Structure formats: structure tokens, C-alpha cells
Amino acid sequence: MRRFAADRARRAVAASLRGTAASSSRSAAPSPLAPAPRHPASPVGAAAMAAAMARVMSTAAAGTPAVSLDTINPKVLKCEYAVRGEIVTHAQNLQQELQKNPDSLPFDEILYCNIGNPQSLGQQPVTYFREVLSLCDHPALLDKSETHALYSSDAIDRAWQILDKIPGRATGAYSHSQGIKGLRDEIAAGIAARDGFHASGDNIFLTDGASPAVHMMMQLLIRSEKDGILCPIPQYPLYSASIALHGGSLVCSLTTLLCYSLLHVESDQSHLNLQFSEILHVPYFLDEETGWGLEVDELKKQLEEARSKGITVRALVVINPGNPTGQVLAEENQKKIVEFCKNEGLVLLADEVYQENIYVEDKQFHSFKKIARSLGYTDDDLPLVSFQSVSKGYYGECGKRGGYMEITGFSPEVREQIYKVASVNLCSNVSGQILASLVMNPPKAGDESFESFMVERDGILSSLARRAKALEEAFNSLEGITCNKAEGAMYLFPRLHLPQKAIGAAQAAGTAPDAYYAKRLLEATGIVVVPGSGFGQVPGTWHIRCTILPQEDKIPAIISRFKEFHEKFMDEFRD
């Protein structure tokens, strides 16, 4: 080891000597035609080389790694993503323990309620989508007579149509960086049918799910830490994470803040709020008391505060239906939001990946583009980006990584820059592109697959609605928990009214109270939820996010385990 360190030091010093010589030569700036100067090294250069040698030898002797937390990009350190964070890592370790010794824990399986990953919890893929995908990936099947006995005729026809749009009919080849043109046109046709307003395939960028599209827009909009994005609180941590990675104002990264507040300040609420307002720049708070409502007055307040601190607010993020909160915005509310963005010169970033997940009769999904067009706004009035994904809805094809963004209201020059950013990644995966086109253009009445497709789709959505209602009622039946109705999306975000003793125990353990609760829940029941502090919440309130995705026959057991744990927890820490 010592010999290796010494060799490394010698190589580093040699490189330093070469660099110093080159630097000396450049500083002299001789004529290209002049002969190379011949003179001894200057005393200053020798001293610098000696110092460099000392530093290198010291580092090598100490065995300091070339890459450490001190030397990686600090933006990565600021990035937090609680959905796959510490609680989930702990759950995976417990799962390995169960596999080695099934009797070692007080439960027999880990129930992952932390992430919107339907097929991992037993949801079956939609037959029609998979039929078309398999035929596109293996076109030789289309020439076999037995294929017509195994596949529906409209799936076969659709596969031919899609393959004809793919150069060389090769799903394993790179595509256009923006996505296959014919598939983008199909998606645009689906958007137009949904909204009643024109859509163009030229405005569609196909991506590996919605997340890369969000990152692309953050790369485009954030120029420095003086740029900010208005994000909801609570919010899906993709937004705070991507803002941190791309160097903008840390508008919503609350986990560190709340833990700091609990561990290092007194419980005085005004002090806590002071810490909060000093550190965060442009969050906007959803109103839990009104079912997680989005108030435009709150947007204006946060925008003005951010601008007073010298922050240039570039865009507004709206998640509808909401994640993690499950609310569905009313049409009138959406109109006010569009007007706000128009008047304030903000880009509207509309996360609409849960547009199929609506569980209440008095609400329906309206895209923000539809709202903007219904108000008479054109591309010249409002820059708007809509995100969609094949991971959610009733399809749940998370692993296929398909999605898109529709961009409107951007100049041709800016669109060229967006295309350049997309080109860096070459293209999104072609299977995901195909799925995105199928999701936006599923079977229609008269197609052979239509009836079976509708049975599958409606069966999944109605089951999700029943699961949401059962979990909501269970949470609200418990002492110290209140939970708003899940109108849409895939989650419930119940509030924990924890005893002071429990908060004190969390402080002693060096963690946030909801994280403490979630860890105790996991270790007692095997149920994995995400602490609300990973999504952001009003200071002094505590929540957990729980998916509604475990299969319906497992919901009663989850409720039973949860109730038993919660009652014991409340008894243990009762004030």
C-alpha cells in the first residue's frame, strides 16, 4: 500500500512538473518562430513545485480518496428524494432478513406503500397494450398464421401501423431525439380529442417517463441560485431534487429544515416559522383545511416575497391531480392559475400524469392547455409545458419508462435549445414511445379489443377508488389522525397529531417525528410509508404518504396492522 501511494505521488509530481513547465512556457509567450529558451528554473517555480510535491505526498500518505463527500458536486448533496429514501432502504434490508430467516420479524412480508409502482404490487398490465408492444418488438410474429389465433385483430393492425412509422421497423434502433414523428402525431391527435383544441406533433417531446422532461425544463429555466420555481407544499420531491441539482433556489427541500428546526430551536411556533421563512424562498402552501386547495392569493404572496429577496421566479409548478395530496383542481381554480401565470410572466409547468386517476363524481380532469385555450390564450400569450407518463393512470407501466411533454408558447429559437438538450440523451426508449402513443389512443368502440379493454381499465380504476375510500375511512377512524379525501392520483396524505412525548422521542433519536413514526410502523408491521417531511408540510404539522396500490384483497390486512400499531403507539406516548 505504501509503495502504491509513493508511486501515485511520483506520478502526480511528474504531472505537476509538466504542468508548471507548460505554464512557464505559456507565460513567456515566445514567438512561434523563436527557438526554445534555455535557462534554469526560476526560484519561484521551484518553490511552487516543492509545495505541490509536499501536498501530493501528504495526500497520498493519508490515503485520501480521489472522490469523497467533500469533493463531489455539492448540488448532489443538497438533492433529497424521500420516496426511495432512508425508510425504504431500511425496508429492503428487512426484506433480505425475512428471506434468510422468515421467523425473525413480527410480520411475514414487506408491504410497499411508498411509491406509485402498481405492477410491483400485483396490478396486471393492460392486455391490448402488451399485445401491440410484443408484436412491434418481434415483427416476425406478424407473418405467422397462429398469431391471429393468439392476438386480437386490432392489436395486429395497430402493430403494423406503428411499425410503418418506425424507420426500418427497428424498435432496437435510435429514434429521432424528439421521438418518432408518427408516434408524436398520434399523441397530438389524442390530446386534441381529449381537449377539443388543436395539438401538433411538433410540440411533443417523447421522454423516458415524465421525470426526464422535468429535468430538461429545469436545465432550460434555471440559470443560477437567483432563479426560483414556485412549487407546491406538499410536493412530489422530484421538483425540489431537480431544482437543487440544476442549481436554482432550494424552494421546497424541507426535510433538512424541519429536522434542524426540531433539533436546534425551541418549540416556539413563531421561531419555527421565522426559521422557515428565512431559509425557503418560493414555496406555496396548499391549504389542508380546504382539501388541499390552491389559493392564488398564496401564490401572489410567495411570489412577492421571493422577488423582494432578489430571486427571479421563472415558473409555477402545478400537480393536478395532486401528489402526494390527491386533490383535483376545480375548473374555476385552474382559470385563476392560468390568469396568474399570464399576468406575472411565468412559465406554467403542469404535471398531469394522474389525469386518468379521478375517484369522485363531482370532479373531472381538465388539462391546463384546454383551460388556457378556452380563455382565448394562444401560444403568443402563455408558455406552457404539460407532462404525461405511462407509469400512472390505469396502465401503471412504470418500468417501460414512457412519457412526453407538450410545449406551447415557446419561440422557435428556444425550441431549438430544448431539442439540443434532448439530443444529448440521443432519444427516449422506443418501447416507451410506443406505449405513450397507445395510452393517448387506446382502442375505440367497434374495435375487437374495445370491450375487454374497457373491462380492464374500469376494473382497475374502480378498485383504486374503493381502496382509497377504505384507507381514508380507516385513517379517520383513528385517534390522532385526520385525512382528506383522495379525489384523484394514487395516494393519501393523512396528518398525524402526535403526542408531545412522541415528538420528544423523535428529537432524542435525531429525526423528524413523522420519520420516527414511519420507521416504528415499518419495524412493527412491515408497512412502508413515506414521512411527510420528505414532501414538505406546514411547520409544526406531520404527515405520512401512503399509496392506495396494494391489491384490494390485502387492504383489510393493511388496515388491521396499521390500526393495531397506531393504537399501541398512541398509548405508549400518551401525554
Side-chain angles (χ1 to χ4, degrees), residues 128-129 132-133 136 158-159 161-163 165-166 179-191 204-207 356 388-390 394-395 397 400-404 428-444 453:
Y128 175 81
F129 294 162
V132 176
L133 270 182
C136 289
R158 188 67 174 274
Q161 292 169 17
I162 290 172
L163 286 170
K165 294 177 171 67
I166 300 175
I180 295 164
K181 179 62 165 67
L183 300 183
R184 288 189 277 122
D185 289 341
E186 284 194 13
I187 290 170
I191 293 171
I204 305 296
F205 283 75
L206 289 163
T207 53
E356 301 277 2
Q388 168 64 317
S389 170
V390 305
Y394 59 87
Y395 8 94
E397 293 280 13
K400 296 299 182 183
R401 307 309 300 131
Y404 69 81
S428 60
N429 82 83
V430 173
S431 292
Q433 294 186 35
I434 293 171
L435 258 175
S437 74
L438 295 174
V439 161
M440 296 307 292
N441 275 291
K444 296 175 176 59
F453 166 79

Side-chain angles (χ1 to χ4, degrees), residues 168-344:
R169 295 180 175 174
T171 60
Y174 289 133
S175 78
H176 187 282
S177 292
Q178 196 170 333
I180 295 164
K181 179 62 165 67
L183 300 183
R184 288 189 277 122
D185 289 341
E186 284 194 13
I187 290 170
I191 293 171
R194 180 196 68 192
D195 293 345
F197 293 95
H198 173 71
S200 169
D202 293 336
N203 292 335
I204 305 296
F205 283 75
L206 289 163
T207 53
D208 290 329
S211 298
V214 171
H215 281 291
M216 287 170 64
M217 293 314 301
M218 296 305 172
Q219 286 176 308
L220 183 81
L221 295 171
I222 295 174
R223 299 162 298 183
S224 74
E225 70 281 355
K226 287 296 185 180
D227 283 335
I229 309 291
L230 272 164
C231 289
I233 298 296
Q235 54 97 28
Y236 178 46
L238 164 67
Y239 292 96
S240 55
S242 61
I243 291 167
L245 282 173
H246 297 299
S249 291
L250 296 180
V251 298
C252 305
S253 187
L254 298 183
T255 307
T256 303
L257 167 67
L258 292 178
C259 289
Y260 173 87
S261 299
L262 284 168
L263 293 172
H264 298 287
V265 304
E266 299 296 325
S267 59
D268 175 68
Q269 189 66 37
S270 62
H271 191 180
L272 188 61
N273 284 331
L274 176 63
Q275 293 289 329
F276 186 85
S277 64
E278 286 176 347
I279 297 175
L280 292 181
H281 300 299
V282 274
Y284 67 87
F285 291 93
L286 302 176
D287 186 357
E288 186 168 11
E289 300 302 319
T290 60
W292 300 112
L294 195 169
E295 303 296 332
V296 172
D297 286 345
E298 169 69 9
L299 294 178
K300 292 178 180 177
K301 172 187 170 185
Q302 299 300 338
L303 178 64
E304 290 169 2
E305 183 177 347
R307 287 173 173 169
S308 72
K309 295 175 180 177
I311 295 171
T312 301
V313 180
R314 307 299 310 282
L316 167 68
V317 172
V318 182
I319 307 174
N320 181 49
N323 176 11
T325 47
Q327 86 284 1
V328 179
L329 295 178
E331 187 174 358
E332 286 303 313
N333 195 186
Q334 289 184 265
K335 290 179 180 179
K336 292 179 181 178
I337 294 166
V338 168
E339 296 278 9
F340 171 78
C341 289
K342 168 67 172 62
N343 294 336
E344 299 295 345

Side-chain angles (χ1 to χ4, degrees), residues 447-467:
D447 293 341
E448 181 183 337
S449 296
F450 179 72
E451 289 188 10
S452 60
F453 166 79
M454 292 298 290
V455 167
E456 289 183 62
R457 189 198 75 167
D458 293 347
I460 292 169
L461 292 174
S462 60
S463 177
L464 287 171
R466 290 191 297 271
R467 287 177 250 175

